[in-house]
């Protein structure tokens, strides 16, 4: 004995999908906006990467994460050269290069802060794209119509293995119809005739 079950999309999934898409769009727009603001702020400082920096970025204006990181590394190299390899904490308080190393540390920290800001922006943009994809998938999965599914019969214990199996071929005894008695007289055996002699 079989039964029909109607499977309906879960309620609220399409709404959750729409919220996910909206959140994703907001995250992408926020990430792009902050990236632009940080890039413009760096560009306004008119910082040029030193010629002794990495050849790929030497002479370029600092306006992105890679040029900011390259300039921070060059500042560190110049500060260590000026102090003879000593950091700010290792210099004596009356050392004249102490102020130079301190300013270099502040500049490096500012540049590294911009690098971190660019990284956070990239992370937010990536999360926003992921939210959009997940929301679209949820809406697509929940957007279908209700589906009616016919299930096989079950025993009282709910074991499907004990359910009757339906075969495409009929049972052996049903394949051949039963023999019907013949109303025609049987043929005589060979060499014998039932007709009386004349």
């Amino acid at each position: 004995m079989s039964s029909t079950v109607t499977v309906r999309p879960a309620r609220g999934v399409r709404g959750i999908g729409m919220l996910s898409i909206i959140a994703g769009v907001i995250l992408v727009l926020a990430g792009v906006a902050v990236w632009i603001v940080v890039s413009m702020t760096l560009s306004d400082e008119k910082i040029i990467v030193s010629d002794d920096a990495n050849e790929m970025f030497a002479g370029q204006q600092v306006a992105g994460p890679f040029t900011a990181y390259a300039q921070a590394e060059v500042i560190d190299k110049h500060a260590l050269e000026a102090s003879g390899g000593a950091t700010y904490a290792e210099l004596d308080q009356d050392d004249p290069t102490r102020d130079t190393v301190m300013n270099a540390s502040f500049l490096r920290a500012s540049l590294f802060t911009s690098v971190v800001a660019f990284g956070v922006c990239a992370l937010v943009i990536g999360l926003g794209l992921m939210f959009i994809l997940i929301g679209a998938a949820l809406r697509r999965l929940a957007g279908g119509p209700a589906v009616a599914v016919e299930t096989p019969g079950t025993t009282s214990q709910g074991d499907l293995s004990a359910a009757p199996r339906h075969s495409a071929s009929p049972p052996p005894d049903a394949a051949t119809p039963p023999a019907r008695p013949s109303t025609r007289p049987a043929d005589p055996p060979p060499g014998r005739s039932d007709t009386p002699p004349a």
Side-chain angles (χ1 to χ4, degrees):
M1 180 177 175
S2 62
S3 61
T4 302
V5 177
T6 302
V7 180
R8 302 182 189 281
R11 291 183 180 180
V13 175
R14 285 180 61 84
I16 293 172
M18 180 56 72
L19 287 176
S20 180
I21 291 173
I22 293 171
V25 170
I26 292 172
L27 286 172
V28 169
L29 293 176
V32 170
V34 174
W35 183 290
I36 292 171
V37 168
V38 174
S39 180
M40 289 175 59
T41 303
L42 281 174
S43 297
D44 291 343
E45 295 296 323
K46 307 269 192 282
I47 304 170
I48 303 298
V49 180
S50 299
D51 293 334
D52 56 344
N54 188 327
E55 293 179 7
M56 187 183 300
F57 304 110
Q60 294 185 21
Q61 184 174 4
V62 175
F66 300 109
T67 51
Y69 183 82
Q71 183 61 23
E73 290 297 306
V74 171
I75 290 173
D76 184 48
K77 182 172 83 170
H78 291 173
L80 290 175
E81 287 175 358
S83 66
T87 63
Y88 175 79
E90 294 172 335
L91 293 171
D92 293 332
Q93 290 187 357
D94 55 351
D95 193 318
T97 59
R98 188 174 167 91
D99 290 338
T100 302
V101 175
M102 180 179 65
N103 289 335
S105 296
F106 290 156
L107 290 173
R108 287 184 68 233
S110 298
L111 290 171
F112 280 136
T113 301
S114 67
V115 172
V116 171
F118 282 120
V120 172
C121 290
L123 175 65
V124 169
I125 292 170
L127 286 174
L129 293 174
M130 197 59 121
F131 270 93
I132 292 171
L133 293 176
I134 291 172
L138 286 174
R139 287 184 60 78
R140 182 168 182 154
L141 287 174
V147 178
V149 179
E150 188 170 337
T151 60
T154 60
T155 62
S156 60
Q157 287 80 20
D159 184 10
L160 292 177
S161 63
R165 298 182 184 219
H166 299 289
S167 173
S169 61
D173 54 348
T176 56
R180 294 187 339 203
S182 175
T183 57
R184 193 178 125 213
D187 292 335
R192 180 179 162 199
S193 173
D194 290 338
T195 56

